Amino acid sequence: MSTLLEIRDLRAKIGEKEILKGVNLVINAGEIHAIMGPNGSGKSTLANVLMGNPAYEVTGGDIVFKGESVLEMSPDERARKGLFLAFQYPVPIPGVTLVNFLRQAVNAVRGEEVPIREFREKLFSKMELLKVDQDFARRYVNDGFSGGEKKRAEMLQMAVLEPAMAILDETDSGLDIDALRTVADAVNKLMNPNMGLLLITHYQRLLNHIRPQFVHVLVDGRIARSGGPELAEYLEARGYDEFLAELARA
Amino acid sequence: MTTAPEAIVGEYKWGFYDPEEALFKANKGLSREIVNVISDMKGEPQWMREFRLRALEIFWQKQDPPWGSPQLKEIDFDDIHYYVKATDRDERSWDDVPEYIRRTFDRLGIPEAERKYLAGVGAQYDSEVVYHNIREDLEKQGVIFLGTDQALKEHEDIFKEYFGTVVPPGDNRYAALNSAVWSGGSFIYVPKGVKVEIPLQAYFRINTQNMGQFERTLIIADEGSQVHYVEGCTAPIYRSDSLHSAVVEIIVKRGARVRYTTIQNWSNNVYNLVTKRAVAYQDAVMEWVDGNLGSKLTMKYPSVYLMEPGAHGEILSLAFAGKGQHQDAGGKIVHAASNTTSTIISKSLSKDGGRTSYRGLLKVYEGCENVKSTVRCDALLLDEESRSDTYPTMEIDAPDVHIQHEAYVSKLGEDQLFYLMSRGLSEEAAAKMIVNGFVEPIVKELPMEYAVELNRLIELQMEGAVG
């Protein structure tokens, strides 16, 4: 079993506020991990720092991806190395069609011009796999998309870019139950034994559809507890307040 | 100044120049004598000579508009050649055009474009039109596409009926100047019901240093006709400035449709001060697609006067100001009749301290009912040093008017850049993609070849924009 991603004592701040205070995590190929946690615990910061968002400053520790530190890499270099972040709030790019965007992204990630025919075949097969309408690709990226459409567009990007390691940041937020199922089905279809998946979520409900082997609870910038799927159920049953109180007693 | 031109060829690809081989070059400066010389050389009718001389008096009396750019004061009207004639013939075959001029237009890709996707082409080099041709089938249908000087000779009646009626010499200082010393430009007449499906194009090239180019274009679209005219322009890069001051007049008759597309890419030593105006009659449609990428200072506000019910006016304006450039662009729509509609969409980009201004007028005359208008101005700033301003004016003297006006200024977003970069795009590619998307509403209105060209020009402007 090969290690894909190793997060070592990762510390990060935004402005003067330290948010990550020493996160440790190892993800191997074929594994699905979930990070849960209350609001403000640093979940989205972790996702952004892993992808290299310049708004955050890493103050300590390391992120090792495929055996190499990515701390000094720009977001595009990380993407080309096989890292992918599905955004909690995908950003609209008016005037740029999804199909054009995807083509440039595929070329960039592969480091070569993919023949147009090959690209189209891939795009259409992935759209079919994810049950996405063909007209979807001609729309402007995230522009006027519903919550569900934005998340499906993220999944389509993941499908076409075929990353080695995908981080899904609150992919369930803003989705109704049908949309959640559609998106979860997509993730399950895309997951494969060579790939790692990190789900970041506030609620357990996503984990009913995508079953992680490992669940971690992030509290105040550190992983407070790790376990199997039962930990998510335990959290759901107790609620974060009780869990935090229990941690405080321990 | 008679020093050799210094070609500072950098990112601007069209900055090359030909050694000056003019047949005739008027001395610098403006006088009644120069105007008379121009009129003599052209062998014009007396009424045109009088028109010019009247306009010259108006120019001398008129001031720059109070809101005009302070840079206007830098123009030295005594340091300009008002008339430079490279050849005395407006040819119909490229083979007959003097070789060095033909080579210039070859480099600019004009004859090739003509073969591939144009219905007719005009080419102006300094003051005179050197080439004009139109497809035979269109000529047989009565479409006239000529250099303006030649049109005055061959079609004086129709010329006289319309010339100077849409933009009179007294309209503004630069219209007066143009009226006094005009030379070249295109004349188009499209007869009733004739639809010219593919574009006619004119290309304007300044070669001489310290040159003023004053072309004059007149387009008459008769009832139910249709035409799309495209113009492009470039100049060499010299240390000293040139002046381009054109007047364009368009008459769109009942049920006719005219689209006028400009891709202005003057070198950064050209003052571009142009008056463009159209009148649209019943159920007529007038569209300006105005792309301003080059020049040192551009002041240009294409306008549409909606004279009769059912008329529609549209202005799509795109401006890109880089280092040392000021694009003062926009549009004017005047609703002078009921049941008229209009749209103005302006998109501007500024980088490296460049400045864009949107200046617009929307006017609705008293007594006009059921008028609808939409104005939308978006500005994108690519860095902290650049600037964008909006000066919209509305004069609404009627109650039954529906107007939407929106204006946005945004900065190249960190969140957009991060999003695109997280998909593997370099910072520069991401910025280009955002900019291409921003201008898409304008670019998609262009014929494919021009859309490609415009995107390429924007990419050139964008080089080194980030990081």
Side-chain angles (χ1 to χ4, degrees):
Chain A
M1 199 155 34
S2 66
T3 299
L4 263 181
L5 182 70
E6 189 177 353
I7 303 169
R8 295 181 194 151
D9 193 30
L10 186 64
R11 292 158 192 272
K13 64 178 186 178
I14 185 162
E16 286 309 303
K17 195 167 187 260
E18 184 169 50
I19 301 186
L20 299 183
K21 299 173 181 172
V23 177
N24 289 287
L25 186 64
V26 176
I27 299 175
N28 297 312
E31 290 179 356
I32 301 179
H33 290 243
I35 288 190
M36 301 183 69
N39 291 327
S41 59
K43 300 191 299 291
S44 274
T45 297
L46 179 62
N48 276 281
V49 168
L50 289 176
M51 199 68 230
N53 188 336
Y56 299 84
E57 187 189 339
V58 173
T59 53
D62 205 354
I63 303 164
V64 179
F65 176 49
K66 290 186 181 168
E68 194 183 355
S69 172
V70 297
L71 274 191
E72 299 301 319
M73 292 185 186
S74 60
D76 51 315
E77 288 171 308
R78 298 182 198 202
R80 290 199 286 270
K81 202 171 160 63
L83 204 56
F84 180 88
L85 171 63
F87 282 55
Q88 180 177 7
Y89 303 110
V91 184
I93 314 288
V96 178
T97 59
L98 194 54
V99 58
N100 278 343
F101 166 52
L102 279 170
R103 179 153 159 77
Q104 279 207 40
V106 167
N107 289 343
V109 164
R110 292 235 197 129
E112 60 174 5
E113 187 94 352
V114 178
I116 184 81
R117 201 187 154 133
E118 186 189 329
F119 168 75
R120 293 181 74 87
E121 279 168 8
K122 177 183 245 359
L123 177 63
F124 290 142
S125 78
K126 298 294 184 184
M127 289 174 86
E128 209 176 299
L129 182 73
L130 303 186
K131 297 192 173 59
V132 178
D133 207 48
Q134 287 218 359
D135 289 342
F136 198 58
R138 281 189 280 275
R139 291 176 62 186
Y140 295 152
V141 179
N142 300 322
D143 194 25
F145 282 19
S146 70
E149 284 172 334
K150 282 184 182 165
K151 298 301 166 78
R152 276 162 77 179
E154 293 292 287
M155 291 309 108
L156 181 61
Q157 291 173 45
M158 178 170 134
V160 173
L161 295 177
E162 300 176 316
M165 174 76 221
I167 304 147
L168 274 53
D169 186 13
E170 305 270 4
T171 291
D172 51 329
S173 71
L175 297 187
D176 65 29
I177 196 73
D178 290 333
L180 177 68
R181 186 171 294 133
T182 310
V183 168
D185 284 350
V187 176
N188 288 326
K189 281 176 188 160
L190 299 175
M191 183 60 196
N192 66 62
N194 299 317
M195 186 181 164
L197 195 59
L198 178 60
L199 308 171
I200 291 178
T201 179
H202 186 77
Y203 300 105
Q204 192 243 341
R205 62 175 197 162
L206 177 69
L207 309 183
N208 293 333
H209 299 280
I210 310 170
R211 303 293 299 179
Q213 295 100 330
F214 305 94
V215 175
H216 314 274
V217 187
L218 193 67
V219 175
D220 192 26
R222 288 189 193 93
I223 289 178
R225 192 175 292 178
S226 295
E230 74 290 342
L231 180 56
E233 282 153 31
Y234 180 81
L235 261 181
E236 185 76 4
R238 305 259 163 139
Y240 282 113
D241 284 347
E242 204 180 317
F243 180 79
L244 291 175
E246 188 189 310
L247 275 182
R249 285 195 297 275
Chain B
M1 293 270 294
T2 48
T3 49
E6 294 179 61
I8 316 152
V9 184
E11 290 173 23
Y12 186 75
K13 234 186 99 176
W14 304 267
F16 61 89
Y17 63 93
D18 300 325
E20 290 179 17
E21 292 183 31
L23 289 181
F24 175 80
K25 182 154 104 177
N27 289 332
K28 284 178 180 174
L30 190 58
S31 61
R32 286 180 68 88
E33 189 195 339
I34 291 283
V35 171
N36 275 315
V37 165
I38 293 171
S39 200
D40 285 344
M41 291 191 77
K42 290 177 181 292
E44 286 174 348
Q46 185 61 21
W47 68 267
M48 183 58 81
R49 181 189 304 264
E50 286 164 12
F51 173 90
R52 289 177 182 277
L53 291 168
R54 251 192 341 267
L56 182 65
E57 296 298 328
I58 295 171
F59 171 72
W60 278 332
Q61 283 159 26
K62 280 239 172 218
Q63 304 294 317
D64 284 325
W67 44 264
S69 164
Q71 277 182 303
L72 289 175
K73 300 213 168 26
E74 294 166 16
I75 302 174
D76 182 354
F77 290 100
D78 296 328
D79 195 34
I80 291 171
H81 296 285
Y82 286 85
Y83 183 64
V84 180
K85 177 172 161 174
T87 162
D88 50 5
R89 290 176 54 119
D90 176 355
E91 301 292 355
R92 292 208 58 166
S93 161
W94 284 108
D95 291 338
D96 297 331
V97 173
E99 205 203 325
Y100 75 99
I101 297 178
R102 195 178 68 224
R103 245 184 293 132
T104 286
F105 286 106
D106 271 336
R107 271 176 93 170
L108 296 165
I110 309 304
E112 191 192 352
E114 178 180 12
R115 283 193 299 275
K116 282 189 182 157
Y117 53 83
L118 294 168
V121 159
Q124 177 160 344
Y125 189 89
D126 287 340
S127 296
E128 291 291 350
V129 173
V130 298
Y131 174 85
H132 244 100
N133 201 10
I134 183 166
R135 265 182 15 197
E136 224 172 278
D137 55 321
L138 292 168
E139 198 169 23
K140 279 193 184 130
Q141 291 177 72
V143 179
I144 302 169
F145 180 43
L146 288 173
T148 307
D149 293 283
Q150 198 183 347
L152 173 58
K153 288 199 178 81
E154 294 179 17
H155 304 276
E156 188 178 342
D157 287 355
I158 186 167
F159 192 101
K160 201 174 171 183
E161 187 181 346
Y162 295 102
F163 182 85
T165 60
V166 183
V167 180
D171 187 80
N172 66 74
R173 194 172 186 219
Y174 296 90
L177 178 61
N178 173 284
S179 299
V181 295
W182 75 268
S183 181
S186 299
F187 176 89
I188 298 173
Y189 172 77
V190 189
K192 277 185 191 174
V194 174
K195 292 188 162 57
V196 183
E197 305 280 358
I198 50 177
L200 301 173
Q201 181 183 298
Y203 200 94
F204 296 91
R205 175 77 179 171
I206 292 177
N207 183 64
T208 301
Q209 199 172 195
N210 292 84
M211 151 87 199
Q213 190 177 59
F214 303 97
E215 92 269 11
R216 181 99 195 184
T217 288
L218 178 57
I219 299 175
I220 302 139
D222 216 328
E223 293 179 9
S225 71
Q226 185 182 317
V227 69
H228 182 185
Y229 175 80
V230 185
E231 63 174 1
C233 21
T234 58
I237 302 173
Y238 293 132
R239 286 255 183 244
S240 55
D241 296 328
S242 288
L243 172 62
H244 173 252
S245 191
V247 167
V248 176
E249 299 179 283
I250 302 180
I251 295 101
V252 196
K253 295 201 174 179
R254 184 174 179 165
R257 192 177 186 109
V258 173
R259 173 174 281 205
Y260 190 111
T261 298
T262 303
I263 298 181
Q264 179 268 103
N265 189 30
W266 293 117
S267 51
N268 289 0
N269 54 315
V270 175
Y271 287 93
N272 184 43
L273 309 167
V274 173
T275 308
K276 289 182 163 168
R277 189 173 303 156
V279 287
Y281 294 95
Q282 193 176 325
D283 301 321
V285 176
M286 175 66 214
E287 299 165 309
W288 295 103
V289 182
D290 199 36
N292 292 297
L293 290 107
S295 82
K296 178 177 191 175
L297 168 68
T298 284
M299 288 174 66
K300 175 158 49 123
Y301 325 99
S303 51
V304 187
Y305 283 62
L306 303 164
M307 306 302 287
E308 290 180 352
H312 176 72
E314 199 151 322
I315 299 164
L316 302 177
S317 173
L318 171 70
F320 196 139
K323 190 176 180 183
Q325 289 184 289
H326 184 183
Q327 305 283 9
D328 196 296
K332 292 197 274 187
I333 301 264
V334 176
H335 291 263
S338 298
N339 302 312
T340 47
T341 53
S342 64
T343 305
I344 300 179
I345 297 174
S346 159
K347 295 260 177 186
S348 69
L349 292 148
S350 331
K351 95 175 227 284
D352 294 340
R355 182 176 173 198
T356 58
S357 314
Y358 167 78
R359 200 178 295 278
L361 171 70
L362 183 65
K363 185 173 175 62
V364 182
Y365 275 101
E366 198 180 336
C368 297
E369 292 173 7
N370 188 31
V371 166
K372 289 193 182 74
S373 179
T374 304
V375 179
R376 189 187 162 113
C377 316
D378 292 333
L380 183 61
L381 302 174
L382 297 176
D383 52 48
E384 296 293 328
E385 303 94 74
S386 300
R387 173 173 170 190
S388 177
D389 304 282
T390 306
Y391 306 99
T393 304
M394 297 210 186
E395 296 172 12
I396 314 296
D397 298 321
D400 182 17
V401 170
H402 184 78
I403 290 171
Q404 263 190 303
H405 185 278
E406 295 172 89
Y408 299 95
V409 178
S410 49
K411 294 205 171 103
L412 190 63
E414 292 294 329
D415 50 349
Q416 284 184 325
L417 283 175
F418 174 57
Y419 185 71
L420 295 179
M421 289 174 74
S422 80
R423 302 304 186 244
L425 273 65
S426 68
E427 190 170 2
E428 189 165 324
K432 275 183 189 169
M433 181 175 272
I434 293 164
V435 165
N436 281 337
F438 178 78
V439 301
E440 168 68 13
I442 310 276
V443 172
K444 74 170 186 213
E445 293 300 323
L446 297 173
M448 208 248 292
E449 292 80 5
Y450 297 94
V452 169
E453 175 69 7
L454 191 67
N455 276 330
R456 213 165 55 84
L457 291 178
I458 290 169
E459 286 199 359
L460 276 171
Q461 285 263 35
M462 285 290 294
E463 303 274 295
V466 187

